[in-house]
Amino acid sequence: NRVYFGMRLSAADVISFADNTSVTYDNGSYHRVRSNIAQSVFCQLNATSHVFFFFHFGALRYIILTFALRNCENMNRITAYIRQSLQEIYPPEEVKALSMLICCDMLGLDALDIYMGKDIILSECKQRELENIIFRLQKNEPIQYIRGIAEFCGRNFKVASGVLIPRPETAELVELIVEENPNARRLLDIGTGSGCIAISLDKKLPDAEVEAWDISEEALAIARKNNDALEARVRFLQRDVLADDWKKIPSFDVIVSNPPYVTETEKNEMDANVLDWEPGLALFVPDEDPLRFYNRIARLGSELLLPGGKLYFEINQAYGRETAHILEMNQYRDVRVIKDIFGKDRIVTANR
């Protein structure tokens, strides 16, 4: 078993475990615990006892963990209840992750107590909270909606069923824009949803002005809450990108959009926790016109982008070549189709 400790050890470390236990000491981040050093150190221990003891930065604080790591999988009554309630719905590894998330992040229990299999008595209020969480998970509601937050680009964003849950592929899109446009002055996010793209760009490019559009007032309300909570300066506007009822003045260095791109046919391949809970308005396009938003935004970009400006799309993996062709037909230059971390066509970008 592997145990993560998100803190630096001092010189006075005494560590011993039984049974060739693998221990990871992480100087980076784990469960949002941060330190000043970015690398991790991994060590394999061969020991005869099962005591862990260290001083932290030479202070008088110390932690003594006396347990056999082989028994880290021991379940107390709470984790047993969670796993038994969810094992018919979710894969084993997901159930395990959900158990720790519920216990530590949502119920506020100590991770060490969970690892040690310590029995914990919940208050009546916490018991009702746990039962509500389990009930909602059994209905396939995403854990992000139950928690009310989703992590994206290192920040927690408020989410609810009116906005999509941010995906890691979209974070790649943000990082690419920041890397390629460090001096961009004005950026536009079309179809902003929770505001995760626009707000992340605002935080990563502090000298830039970021504007964001969405047709959904419900989504914009959530985005504005995130804007306030994260102390960002994004300007949010309600606009229907498919309409043509406002004055267009070239004024943006970068336009980015992650528009609806899942076809009606592809619904059959999607999980219930997406189909039943995430907003169809932000997901689906008709089979007969799957690239309607890309066609429209490509034309719009030719009006709104400054000379040399850049357009970035997140795309349906099945339509990389077709999306690139749209940009080429609209006289964009340097069109690229970029694969995501899973090796699938996911980003198309071009210069005006």
Side-chain angles (χ1 to χ4, degrees):
N1 295 303
R2 176 172 288 176
V3 177
Y4 290 82
F5 297 96
M7 58 188 74
R8 276 191 292 182
L9 301 179
S10 73
D13 300 325
V14 179
I15 307 175
S16 59
F17 285 109
D19 305 316
N20 297 326
T21 300
S22 176
V23 175
T24 298
Y25 154 50
D26 188 350
N27 259 328
S29 62
Y30 180 70
H31 281 176
R32 295 180 300 285
V33 177
R34 308 286 177 180
S35 77
N36 297 322
I37 301 177
Q39 77 266 18
S40 297
V41 180
F42 298 87
C43 57
Q44 180 78 28
L45 302 178
N46 296 309
T48 56
S49 63
H50 48 271
V51 176
F52 176 84
F53 179 90
F54 69 84
F55 288 99
H56 182 216
F57 292 110
L60 294 178
R61 293 175 298 163
Y62 60 87
I63 298 176
I64 302 175
L65 313 182
T66 306
F67 61 97
L69 284 187
R70 176 176 290 178
N71 294 325
C72 271
E73 296 300 320
N74 284 352
M75 296 184 294
N76 61 23
R77 283 175 288 185
I78 298 172
T79 52
Y81 168 66
I82 294 170
R83 296 189 188 190
Q84 288 166 8
S85 300
L86 301 178
Q87 62 186 359
E88 300 299 324
I89 306 170
Y90 299 91
E93 286 304 310
E94 189 169 354
V95 171
K96 181 180 175 181
L98 284 170
S99 297
M100 292 304 297
L101 185 64
I102 292 167
C103 289
C104 300
D105 283 24
M106 302 179 76
L107 298 179
L109 304 181
D110 190 282
L112 178 57
D113 289 341
I114 304 302
Y115 278 122
M116 293 178 68
K118 179 180 177 180
D119 264 327
I120 302 165
I121 305 300
L122 292 179
S123 67
E124 186 176 340
C125 178
K126 289 290 185 182
Q127 182 64 41
R128 285 197 302 268
E129 184 180 351
L130 175 58
E131 290 171 358
N132 180 56
I133 292 168
I134 295 299
F135 175 78
R136 294 171 70 178
L137 285 170
Q138 288 174 333
K139 298 293 185 182
N140 287 303
E141 185 174 355
I143 188 66
Q144 293 90 341
Y145 288 159
I146 299 173
R147 295 179 71 202
I149 58 172
E151 187 173 352
F152 182 80
C153 287
R155 294 181 173 86
N156 285 332
F157 286 80
K158 299 178 188 297
V159 292
S161 56
V163 297
L164 292 180
I165 297 166
R167 266 63 173 185
E169 304 95 307
T170 307
E172 292 183 72
L173 177 63
V174 170
E175 295 300 334
L176 179 66
I177 293 171
V178 172
E179 179 184 345
E180 295 186 347
N181 304 275
N183 299 314
R185 304 303 299 175
R186 296 201 72 222
L187 301 92
L188 171 63
D189 175 25
I190 298 177
T192 194
S194 67
C196 63
I197 292 176
I199 292 170
S200 296
L201 290 171
D202 176 83
K203 303 301 285 188
K204 290 175 179 289
L205 298 171
D207 294 329
E209 296 178 14
V210 182
E211 188 170 303
W213 302 350
D214 206 287
I215 191 175
S216 167
E217 186 55 48
E218 183 180 4
L220 288 170
I222 294 171
R224 290 184 179 114
K225 288 180 181 178
N226 283 320
N227 205 41
D228 292 340
L230 295 170
E231 299 181 338
R233 304 156 299 136
V234 179
R235 179 174 179 242
F236 291 98
L237 297 172
Q238 186 175 23
R239 282 198 172 152
D240 181 357
V241 72
L242 297 178
D244 190 20
D245 56 357
W246 69 89
K247 187 176 181 180
K248 303 170 187 66
I249 301 173
S251 57
F252 293 102
D253 300 298
V254 172
I255 295 176
V256 57
S257 184
N258 177 18
Y261 59 65
V262 180
T263 63
E264 294 289 334
T265 300
E266 290 173 317
K267 279 185 178 182
N268 298 328
E269 304 170 14
M270 301 181 74
D271 294 331
N273 62 344
V274 177
L275 278 177
D276 296 345
W277 294 97
E278 298 199 59
L281 181 67
L283 282 171
F284 299 112
V285 287
D287 289 343
E288 63 272 14
D289 191 12
L291 300 176
R292 64 192 306 181
F293 286 97
Y294 299 97
N295 274 300
R296 173 59 183 148
I297 296 170
R299 294 195 302 271
L300 190 61
S302 66
E303 300 178 74
L304 291 176
L305 281 170
L306 293 165
K310 295 182 180 180
L311 180 60
Y312 292 84
F313 284 135
E314 182 173 323
I315 65 166
N316 185 323
Q317 67 186 53
Y319 293 102
R321 183 176 300 176
E322 292 85 347
T323 308
H325 181 67
I326 289 172
L327 296 177
E328 291 165 351
M329 294 299 293
N330 281 274
Q331 309 304 310
Y332 285 84
R333 301 176 291 105
D334 304 322
V335 180
R336 292 175 290 156
V337 180
I338 301 171
K339 296 186 183 299
D340 62 21
I341 52 177
F342 305 109
K344 298 176 181 178
D345 289 348
R346 189 61 66 195
I347 296 171
V348 173
T349 180
N351 293 0
R352 183 71 190 123

mmCIF file of all heavy atoms in Angstrom, residues 227-262:
data_model
loop_
_atom_site.group_PDB
_atom_site.id
_atom_site.type_symbol
_atom_site.label_atom_id
_atom_site.label_comp_id
_atom_site.label_asym_id
_atom_site.label_seq_id
_atom_site.Cartn_x
_atom_site.Cartn_y
_atom_site.Cartn_z
ATOM 1 N N ASN A 227 -16.764 33.977 -10.305
ATOM 2 C CA ASN A 227 -15.972 35.183 -10.541
ATOM 3 C C ASN A 227 -15.717 35.933 -9.231
ATOM 4 O O ASN A 227 -14.600 36.356 -8.940
ATOM 5 C CB ASN A 227 -16.717 36.080 -11.526
ATOM 6 C CG ASN A 227 -15.803 37.011 -12.300
ATOM 7 O OD1 ASN A 227 -14.715 36.616 -12.726
ATOM 8 N ND2 ASN A 227 -16.235 38.246 -12.497
ATOM 9 N N ASP A 228 -16.768 36.063 -8.431
ATOM 10 C CA ASP A 228 -16.643 36.750 -7.144
ATOM 11 C C ASP A 228 -15.807 35.936 -6.155
ATOM 12 O O ASP A 228 -14.916 36.474 -5.482
ATOM 13 C CB ASP A 228 -18.027 37.020 -6.550
ATOM 14 C CG ASP A 228 -18.824 38.039 -7.355
ATOM 15 O OD1 ASP A 228 -18.209 38.805 -8.118
ATOM 16 O OD2 ASP A 228 -20.066 38.047 -7.227
ATOM 17 N N ALA A 229 -16.099 34.626 -6.074
ATOM 18 C CA ALA A 229 -15.419 33.775 -5.093
ATOM 19 C C ALA A 229 -13.916 33.692 -5.352
ATOM 20 O O ALA A 229 -13.115 33.621 -4.424
ATOM 21 C CB ALA A 229 -16.038 32.380 -5.085
ATOM 22 N N LEU A 230 -13.544 33.709 -6.627
ATOM 23 C CA LEU A 230 -12.135 33.553 -6.996
ATOM 24 C C LEU A 230 -11.460 34.896 -7.274
ATOM 25 O O LEU A 230 -10.317 34.935 -7.724
ATOM 26 C CB LEU A 230 -12.017 32.630 -8.210
ATOM 27 C CG LEU A 230 -12.454 31.188 -7.946
ATOM 28 C CD1 LEU A 230 -12.551 30.394 -9.239
ATOM 29 C CD2 LEU A 230 -11.500 30.508 -6.976
ATOM 30 N N GLU A 231 -12.194 35.967 -6.995
ATOM 31 C CA GLU A 231 -11.663 37.321 -7.137
ATOM 32 C C GLU A 231 -11.106 37.560 -8.530
ATOM 33 O O GLU A 231 -10.009 38.113 -8.715
ATOM 34 C CB GLU A 231 -10.596 37.595 -6.075
ATOM 35 C CG GLU A 231 -11.139 37.487 -4.646
ATOM 36 C CD GLU A 231 -10.086 37.771 -3.588
ATOM 37 O OE1 GLU A 231 -8.881 37.636 -3.892
ATOM 38 O OE2 GLU A 231 -10.469 38.133 -2.467
ATOM 39 N N ALA A 232 -11.881 37.143 -9.528
ATOM 40 C CA ALA A 232 -11.526 37.379 -10.927
ATOM 41 C C ALA A 232 -12.259 38.619 -11.443
ATOM 42 O O ALA A 232 -13.125 39.171 -10.767
ATOM 43 C CB ALA A 232 -11.862 36.156 -11.771
ATOM 44 N N ARG A 233 -11.908 39.027 -12.670
ATOM 45 C CA ARG A 233 -12.444 40.273 -13.213
ATOM 46 C C ARG A 233 -13.135 40.056 -14.558
ATOM 47 O O ARG A 233 -13.209 40.967 -15.383
ATOM 48 C CB ARG A 233 -11.312 41.277 -13.389
ATOM 49 C CG ARG A 233 -10.506 41.569 -12.114
ATOM 50 C CD ARG A 233 -9.114 42.060 -12.463
ATOM 51 N NE ARG A 233 -8.383 41.033 -13.214
ATOM 52 C CZ ARG A 233 -7.655 41.294 -14.290
ATOM 53 N NH1 ARG A 233 -7.552 42.524 -14.763
ATOM 54 N NH2 ARG A 233 -7.018 40.320 -14.917
ATOM 55 N N VAL A 234 -13.632 38.864 -14.797
ATOM 56 C CA VAL A 234 -14.248 38.549 -16.081
ATOM 57 C C VAL A 234 -15.569 39.309 -16.236
ATOM 58 O O VAL A 234 -16.348 39.434 -15.287
ATOM 59 C CB VAL A 234 -14.491 37.032 -16.203
ATOM 60 C CG1 VAL A 234 -15.164 36.700 -17.538
ATOM 61 C CG2 VAL A 234 -13.178 36.267 -16.061
ATOM 62 N N ARG A 235 -15.823 39.772 -17.448
ATOM 63 C CA ARG A 235 -17.085 40.436 -17.776
ATOM 64 C C ARG A 235 -17.990 39.410 -18.463
ATOM 65 O O ARG A 235 -17.663 38.907 -19.537
ATOM 66 C CB ARG A 235 -16.834 41.617 -18.710
ATOM 67 C CG ARG A 235 -18.089 42.378 -19.135
ATOM 68 C CD ARG A 235 -17.695 43.613 -19.928
ATOM 69 N NE ARG A 235 -18.872 44.354 -20.375
ATOM 70 C CZ ARG A 235 -19.187 44.558 -21.648
ATOM 71 N NH1 ARG A 235 -18.406 44.070 -22.608
ATOM 72 N NH2 ARG A 235 -20.247 45.258 -21.973
ATOM 73 N N PHE A 236 -19.115 39.079 -17.827
ATOM 74 C CA PHE A 236 -20.032 38.068 -18.352
ATOM 75 C C PHE A 236 -21.238 38.723 -19.029
ATOM 76 O O PHE A 236 -21.835 39.660 -18.474
ATOM 77 C CB PHE A 236 -20.511 37.145 -17.226
ATOM 78 C CG PHE A 236 -19.430 36.250 -16.681
ATOM 79 C CD1 PHE A 236 -18.750 36.583 -15.518
ATOM 80 C CD2 PHE A 236 -19.075 35.091 -17.343
ATOM 81 C CE1 PHE A 236 -17.743 35.777 -15.021
ATOM 82 C CE2 PHE A 236 -18.065 34.270 -16.853
ATOM 83 C CZ PHE A 236 -17.400 34.614 -15.685
ATOM 84 N N LEU A 237 -21.602 38.200 -20.217
ATOM 85 C CA LEU A 237 -22.727 38.731 -20.974
ATOM 86 C C LEU A 237 -23.606 37.589 -21.462
ATOM 87 O O LEU A 237 -23.102 36.516 -21.836
ATOM 88 C CB LEU A 237 -22.237 39.523 -22.189
ATOM 89 C CG LEU A 237 -21.392 40.784 -21.912
ATOM 90 C CD1 LEU A 237 -20.840 41.328 -23.214
ATOM 91 C CD2 LEU A 237 -22.220 41.824 -21.184
ATOM 92 N N GLN A 238 -24.916 37.811 -21.477
ATOM 93 C CA GLN A 238 -25.832 36.819 -22.040
ATOM 94 C C GLN A 238 -25.989 37.083 -23.530
ATOM 95 O O GLN A 238 -26.506 38.134 -23.946
ATOM 96 C CB GLN A 238 -27.200 36.883 -21.352
ATOM 97 C CG GLN A 238 -28.137 35.777 -21.816
ATOM 98 C CD GLN A 238 -29.446 35.763 -21.056
ATOM 99 O OE1 GLN A 238 -29.857 36.791 -20.499
ATOM 100 N NE2 GLN A 238 -30.113 34.621 -21.023
ATOM 101 N N ARG A 239 -25.531 36.117 -24.337
ATOM 102 C CA ARG A 239 -25.628 36.265 -25.783
ATOM 103 C C ARG A 239 -25.853 34.906 -26.425
ATOM 104 O O ARG A 239 -25.313 33.898 -25.981
ATOM 105 C CB ARG A 239 -24.362 36.899 -26.355
ATOM 106 C CG ARG A 239 -24.332 38.414 -26.139
ATOM 107 C CD ARG A 239 -23.347 39.097 -27.030
ATOM 108 N NE ARG A 239 -23.495 40.543 -26.904
ATOM 109 C CZ ARG A 239 -22.519 41.405 -27.092
ATOM 110 N NH1 ARG A 239 -21.321 40.977 -27.404
ATOM 111 N NH2 ARG A 239 -22.739 42.702 -26.984
ATOM 112 N N ASP A 240 -26.638 34.912 -27.486
ATOM 113 C CA ASP A 240 -26.875 33.726 -28.313
ATOM 114 C C ASP A 240 -25.942 33.815 -29.503
ATOM 115 O O ASP A 240 -26.134 34.634 -30.404
ATOM 116 C CB ASP A 240 -28.335 33.699 -28.763
ATOM 117 C CG ASP A 240 -28.653 32.479 -29.620
ATOM 118 O OD1 ASP A 240 -27.725 31.686 -29.904
ATOM 119 O OD2 ASP A 240 -29.820 32.333 -30.019
ATOM 120 N N VAL A 241 -24.930 32.961 -29.514
ATOM 121 C CA VAL A 241 -23.913 33.050 -30.555
ATOM 122 C C VAL A 241 -24.474 32.724 -31.935
ATOM 123 O O VAL A 241 -23.913 33.138 -32.967
ATOM 124 C CB VAL A 241 -22.723 32.139 -30.213
ATOM 125 C CG1 VAL A 241 -23.084 30.666 -30.388
ATOM 126 C CG2 VAL A 241 -21.502 32.480 -31.048
ATOM 127 N N LEU A 242 -25.584 31.999 -31.990
ATOM 128 C CA LEU A 242 -26.180 31.653 -33.280
ATOM 129 C C LEU A 242 -27.019 32.799 -33.843
ATOM 130 O O LEU A 242 -27.412 32.770 -35.002
ATOM 131 C CB LEU A 242 -27.035 30.389 -33.159
ATOM 132 C CG LEU A 242 -26.285 29.113 -32.762
ATOM 133 C CD1 LEU A 242 -27.251 27.945 -32.642
ATOM 134 C CD2 LEU A 242 -25.179 28.794 -33.764
ATOM 135 N N ALA A 243 -27.299 33.790 -33.016
ATOM 136 C CA ALA A 243 -28.047 34.955 -33.478
ATOM 137 C C ALA A 243 -27.086 35.970 -34.097
ATOM 138 O O ALA A 243 -25.864 35.837 -34.015
ATOM 139 C CB ALA A 243 -28.826 35.579 -32.320
ATOM 140 N N ASP A 244 -27.648 36.988 -34.702
ATOM 141 C CA ASP A 244 -26.824 37.989 -35.373
ATOM 142 C C ASP A 244 -27.414 39.364 -35.103
ATOM 143 O O ASP A 244 -27.817 40.083 -36.009
ATOM 144 C CB ASP A 244 -26.777 37.712 -36.872
ATOM 145 C CG ASP A 244 -25.742 38.574 -37.577
ATOM 146 O OD1 ASP A 244 -24.837 39.082 -36.909
ATOM 147 O OD2 ASP A 244 -25.868 38.739 -38.809
ATOM 148 N N ASP A 245 -27.471 39.735 -33.833
ATOM 149 C CA ASP A 245 -28.221 40.930 -33.472
ATOM 150 C C ASP A 245 -27.410 41.910 -32.620
ATOM 151 O O ASP A 245 -27.951 42.582 -31.762
ATOM 152 C CB ASP A 245 -29.507 40.540 -32.734
ATOM 153 C CG ASP A 245 -29.221 39.686 -31.510
ATOM 154 O OD1 ASP A 245 -28.051 39.366 -31.275
ATOM 155 O OD2 ASP A 245 -30.189 39.339 -30.792
ATOM 156 N N TRP A 246 -26.096 41.963 -32.807
ATOM 157 C CA TRP A 246 -25.311 42.952 -32.085
ATOM 158 C C TRP A 246 -24.161 43.440 -32.983
ATOM 159 O O TRP A 246 -23.759 42.784 -33.933
ATOM 160 C CB TRP A 246 -24.753 42.407 -30.770
ATOM 161 C CG TRP A 246 -23.682 41.369 -30.903
ATOM 162 C CD1 TRP A 246 -22.344 41.583 -31.002
ATOM 163 C CD2 TRP A 246 -23.862 39.954 -30.987
ATOM 164 N NE1 TRP A 246 -21.679 40.389 -31.130
ATOM 165 C CE2 TRP A 246 -22.587 39.376 -31.123
ATOM 166 C CE3 TRP A 246 -24.988 39.113 -30.948
ATOM 167 C CZ2 TRP A 246 -22.402 38.000 -31.232
ATOM 168 C CZ3 TRP A 246 -24.800 37.755 -31.058
ATOM 169 C CH2 TRP A 246 -23.521 37.211 -31.188
ATOM 170 N N LYS A 247 -23.673 44.597 -32.680
ATOM 171 C CA LYS A 247 -22.599 45.205 -33.448
ATOM 172 C C LYS A 247 -21.292 44.488 -33.176
ATOM 173 O O LYS A 247 -20.947 44.223 -32.032
ATOM 174 C CB LYS A 247 -22.470 46.684 -33.082
ATOM 175 C CG LYS A 247 -21.494 47.456 -33.957
ATOM 176 C CD LYS A 247 -21.495 48.934 -33.578
ATOM 177 C CE LYS A 247 -20.538 49.718 -34.479
ATOM 178 N NZ LYS A 247 -20.524 51.148 -34.129
ATOM 179 N N LYS A 248 -20.568 44.172 -34.237
ATOM 180 C CA LYS A 248 -19.329 43.409 -34.107
ATOM 181 C C LYS A 248 -18.149 44.287 -34.498
ATOM 182 O O LYS A 248 -18.035 44.724 -35.634
ATOM 183 C CB LYS A 248 -19.384 42.151 -34.955
ATOM 184 C CG LYS A 248 -20.572 41.265 -34.605
ATOM 185 C CD LYS A 248 -20.753 40.153 -35.595
ATOM 186 C CE LYS A 248 -22.038 39.408 -35.326
ATOM 187 N NZ LYS A 248 -23.232 40.246 -35.548
ATOM 188 N N ILE A 249 -17.258 44.524 -33.537
ATOM 189 C CA ILE A 249 -16.073 45.346 -33.766
ATOM 190 C C ILE A 249 -14.845 44.501 -33.458
ATOM 191 O O ILE A 249 -14.767 43.898 -32.378
ATOM 192 C CB ILE A 249 -16.085 46.589 -32.860
ATOM 193 C CG1 ILE A 249 -17.335 47.430 -33.131
ATOM 194 C CG2 ILE A 249 -14.822 47.420 -33.061
ATOM 195 C CD1 ILE A 249 -17.510 48.586 -32.173
ATOM 196 N N PRO A 250 -13.891 44.394 -34.391
ATOM 197 C CA PRO A 250 -12.679 43.614 -34.104
ATOM 198 C C PRO A 250 -11.974 44.140 -32.863
ATOM 199 O O PRO A 250 -11.548 45.294 -32.822
ATOM 200 C CB PRO A 250 -11.822 43.811 -35.361
ATOM 201 C CG PRO A 250 -12.784 44.207 -36.425
ATOM 202 C CD PRO A 250 -13.864 44.979 -35.732
ATOM 203 N N SER A 251 -11.878 43.315 -31.847
ATOM 204 C CA SER A 251 -11.290 43.817 -30.607
ATOM 205 C C SER A 251 -10.629 42.746 -29.757
ATOM 206 O O SER A 251 -10.140 43.056 -28.673
ATOM 207 C CB SER A 251 -12.372 44.511 -29.771
ATOM 208 O OG SER A 251 -13.438 43.628 -29.500
ATOM 209 N N PHE A 252 -10.583 41.497 -30.215
ATOM 210 C CA PHE A 252 -10.053 40.421 -29.381
ATOM 211 C C PHE A 252 -8.780 39.833 -29.980
ATOM 212 O O PHE A 252 -8.670 39.641 -31.184
ATOM 213 C CB PHE A 252 -11.094 39.312 -29.212
ATOM 214 C CG PHE A 252 -12.294 39.735 -28.421
ATOM 215 C CD1 PHE A 252 -13.489 40.061 -29.060
ATOM 216 C CD2 PHE A 252 -12.239 39.841 -27.036
ATOM 217 C CE1 PHE A 252 -14.603 40.461 -28.337
ATOM 218 C CE2 PHE A 252 -13.343 40.252 -26.306
ATOM 219 C CZ PHE A 252 -14.521 40.560 -26.961
ATOM 220 N N ASP A 253 -7.830 39.531 -29.103
ATOM 221 C CA ASP A 253 -6.606 38.840 -29.513
ATOM 222 C C ASP A 253 -6.818 37.333 -29.577
ATOM 223 O O ASP A 253 -6.166 36.636 -30.366
ATOM 224 C CB ASP A 253 -5.475 39.135 -28.520
ATOM 225 C CG ASP A 253 -5.155 40.606 -28.438
ATOM 226 O OD1 ASP A 253 -4.740 41.182 -29.459
ATOM 227 O OD2 ASP A 253 -5.335 41.195 -27.350
ATOM 228 N N VAL A 254 -7.697 36.835 -28.708
ATOM 229 C CA VAL A 254 -7.956 35.394 -28.622
ATOM 230 C C VAL A 254 -9.452 35.165 -28.436
ATOM 231 O O VAL A 254 -10.088 35.848 -27.621
ATOM 232 C CB VAL A 254 -7.192 34.746 -27.440
ATOM 233 C CG1 VAL A 254 -7.617 33.287 -27.249
ATOM 234 C CG2 VAL A 254 -5.687 34.847 -27.646
ATOM 235 N N ILE A 255 -9.997 34.224 -29.184
ATOM 236 C CA ILE A 255 -11.349 33.716 -28.942
ATOM 237 C C ILE A 255 -11.238 32.226 -28.675
ATOM 238 O O ILE A 255 -10.569 31.498 -29.426
ATOM 239 C CB ILE A 255 -12.293 33.975 -30.130
ATOM 240 C CG1 ILE A 255 -12.515 35.475 -30.324
ATOM 241 C CG2 ILE A 255 -13.635 33.274 -29.924
ATOM 242 C CD1 ILE A 255 -13.374 35.822 -31.539
ATOM 243 N N VAL A 256 -11.877 31.765 -27.612
ATOM 244 C CA VAL A 256 -11.883 30.346 -27.270
ATOM 245 C C VAL A 256 -13.321 29.894 -27.086
ATOM 246 O O VAL A 256 -14.165 30.654 -26.600
ATOM 247 C CB VAL A 256 -11.060 30.066 -25.986
ATOM 248 C CG1 VAL A 256 -11.569 30.882 -24.811
ATOM 249 C CG2 VAL A 256 -11.065 28.589 -25.635
ATOM 250 N N SER A 257 -13.597 28.656 -27.497
ATOM 251 C CA SER A 257 -14.939 28.118 -27.297
ATOM 252 C C SER A 257 -14.891 26.614 -27.119
ATOM 253 O O SER A 257 -14.168 25.914 -27.842
ATOM 254 C CB SER A 257 -15.849 28.456 -28.481
ATOM 255 O OG SER A 257 -17.170 28.015 -28.230
ATOM 256 N N ASN A 258 -15.654 26.155 -26.145
ATOM 257 C CA ASN A 258 -15.913 24.733 -25.947
ATOM 258 C C ASN A 258 -17.426 24.559 -26.096
ATOM 259 O O ASN A 258 -18.147 24.419 -25.114
ATOM 260 C CB ASN A 258 -15.439 24.278 -24.567
ATOM 261 C CG ASN A 258 -15.737 22.823 -24.280
ATOM 262 O OD1 ASN A 258 -16.002 22.049 -25.199
ATOM 263 N ND2 ASN A 258 -15.727 22.443 -23.017
ATOM 264 N N PRO A 259 -17.920 24.584 -27.335
ATOM 265 C CA PRO A 259 -19.368 24.613 -27.560
ATOM 266 C C PRO A 259 -19.973 23.217 -27.484
ATOM 267 O O PRO A 259 -19.247 22.217 -27.377
ATOM 268 C CB PRO A 259 -19.460 25.171 -28.982
ATOM 269 C CG PRO A 259 -18.256 24.603 -29.658
ATOM 270 C CD PRO A 259 -17.171 24.588 -28.600
ATOM 271 N N PRO A 260 -21.291 23.102 -27.549
ATOM 272 C CA PRO A 260 -21.907 21.772 -27.628
ATOM 273 C C PRO A 260 -21.400 21.028 -28.861
ATOM 274 O O PRO A 260 -21.350 21.601 -29.951
ATOM 275 C CB PRO A 260 -23.403 22.097 -27.755
ATOM 276 C CG PRO A 260 -23.554 23.463 -27.174
ATOM 277 C CD PRO A 260 -22.289 24.179 -27.512
ATOM 278 N N TYR A 261 -21.018 19.745 -28.687
ATOM 279 C CA TYR A 261 -20.519 19.002 -29.848
ATOM 280 C C TYR A 261 -20.872 17.513 -29.836
ATOM 281 O O TYR A 261 -20.431 16.759 -30.707
ATOM 282 C CB TYR A 261 -19.008 19.178 -30.013
ATOM 283 C CG TYR A 261 -18.121 18.751 -28.859
ATOM 284 C CD1 TYR A 261 -18.026 17.420 -28.454
ATOM 285 C CD2 TYR A 261 -17.307 19.680 -28.220
ATOM 286 C CE1 TYR A 261 -17.182 17.036 -27.436
ATOM 287 C CE2 TYR A 261 -16.442 19.314 -27.195
ATOM 288 C CZ TYR A 261 -16.378 17.985 -26.808
ATOM 289 O OH TYR A 261 -15.531 17.599 -25.799
ATOM 290 N N VAL A 262 -21.657 17.053 -28.877
ATOM 291 C CA VAL A 262 -22.032 15.636 -28.818
ATOM 292 C C VAL A 262 -23.286 15.444 -29.673
ATOM 293 O O VAL A 262 -24.293 16.133 -29.468
ATOM 294 C CB VAL A 262 -22.303 15.190 -27.378
ATOM 295 C CG1 VAL A 262 -22.692 13.711 -27.344
ATOM 296 C CG2 VAL A 262 -21.092 15.453 -26.495
#
